[in-house]
Structures are given as structure tokens and as C-alpha cells.
Amino acid sequence: MWADKRVGGELFKHLIQSQKQRKKRYGSKDKRAQIKNRIRIDERPAIVEQKARIGDWAIDTVIGQNHQGALVTVVDRVSKLTLIKNVDSKHADVVTEATDLHHE
């Protein structure tokens, strides 16, 4: 089919991938989903590093084999109380919902 395109033919237009439009991402800000109200590690208060109070949580995701499913882990930095939730994907909205401790 691609040889047909090189010689000026029209058959390549019927290929599935011939219709895809791809856009380069360089030069633009990443617009993919971000976790709302997140605080960067370098912006957290100094008292968190001292591990002197209960209630400072560390959140992480563990991605499954072949990127199938994920676990969201929430660990209290002092008591080591660990909450684990299975989620279907690692997308920001799914992880944010899994870390909402008020609805457990």
C-alpha cells in the first residue's frame, strides 16, 4: 500500500492509520490531568520532615504488571498506618477519588 503512495496512487488513503493526525507536544505545557490541591515535596512544611506529629500522609501508586490496574497507598509518616485501595487506572481523577479519606 505504501509503495502505491510513493508512485502517486490513492490506495494508501484507505488504510486505518492514514487518517490519524498527530500533534507534537514540544513547546507547550502538559495539559494532562493533575491531582488537585497537591503540594510538591519541596513545598511542604519543615515539621513534616521531623515526623513529630500524626496526620502527615505520604501517598504513592503501585502500577500492576503490564500496566493493568494500580494500587494507591496512603501511609501516615509517624504511625505507619497504611491504607491501600485497588484502582482500575492511574489517572489523576481516579487516584484523587481513592485518596479522599472523608468518604471511606
Side-chain angles (χ1 to χ4, degrees):
M1 289 282 199
W2 292 115
D4 178 66
K5 179 181 180 180
R6 282 193 293 272
V7 296
E10 298 275 325
L11 292 175
F12 74 94
K13 292 181 180 178
H14 299 287
L15 292 173
I16 293 172
Q17 65 267 29
S18 70
Q19 304 301 319
K20 285 187 181 177
Q21 296 293 321
R22 290 186 173 86
K23 183 179 178 190
K24 300 283 185 186
R25 289 190 188 192
Y26 55 81
S28 66
K29 253 190 164 177
D30 191 3
K31 295 180 176 97
R32 290 177 284 187
Q34 297 291 323
I35 296 175
K36 291 180 176 69
N37 301 323
R38 72 179 185 158
I39 298 172
R40 294 171 40 118
I41 290 174
D42 57 348
E43 294 174 355
R44 66 183 171 199
I47 191 160
V48 175
E49 290 303 316
Q50 296 173 7
K51 296 184 181 178
R53 61 182 186 181
I54 292 177
D56 293 322
W57 298 89
I59 300 173
D60 200 4
T61 54
V62 181
I63 308 302
Q65 186 176 8
N66 298 323
H67 300 276
Q68 299 295 312
L71 294 175
V72 176
T73 61
V74 182
V75 181
D76 182 81
R77 293 171 55 93
V78 175
S79 70
K80 304 298 184 203
L81 173 67
T82 303
L83 306 174
I84 301 173
K85 187 162 188 177
N86 187 18
V87 292
D88 294 329
S89 74
K90 61 179 182 178
H91 291 104
D93 55 340
V94 176
V95 172
T96 300
E97 185 178 326
T99 59
D100 186 2
L101 301 176
H102 299 291
H103 290 94
E104 288 297 318

